[in-house]
Amino acid sequence: MPKMKTHRGAAKRFSKTGSGKIRRYKAYKSHILTKKTSKRKRRLRRAGLIATTGDTKRIKRLIQA
């Protein structure tokens, strides 16, 4: 069986931390920002982590981490 290729779309959206968790960036930060509060926009800048273990396993397979 050939090597599995990295899913480029997933690789651009997710990255692996040193401890092996998957980091993600938050949505709703690209447009229609005038109605969003400064506090909300500031919180959207921060990266989050993938919450569920099933999703983590699936994404690790896609990005080959």
Side-chain angles (χ1 to χ4, degrees):
M1 193 170 176
K3 290 181 185 178
M4 193 172 146
K5 289 189 177 182
T6 301
H7 189 290
R8 297 313 296 161
K12 289 168 191 174
R13 287 170 173 84
F14 303 104
S15 60
K16 194 175 139 187
T17 63
S19 61
K21 294 175 183 173
I22 302 293
R23 182 189 294 121
R24 69 177 183 87
Y25 292 99
K26 304 212 173 134
Y28 309 110
K29 186 65 175 71
S30 57
H31 62 104
I32 316 175
L33 297 174
T34 51
K35 63 172 81 170
K36 294 169 189 164
T37 64
S38 301
K39 182 179 179 181
R40 183 175 168 192
K41 289 185 277 191
R42 191 165 54 246
R43 285 184 174 173
L44 288 170
R45 271 186 231 144
R46 296 189 216 149
L49 294 172
I50 298 295
T52 59
T53 52
D55 289 338
T56 302
K57 188 178 176 184
R58 188 181 311 120
I59 291 162
K60 277 184 179 177
R61 196 178 305 132
L62 288 173
I63 63 174
Q64 313 224 328

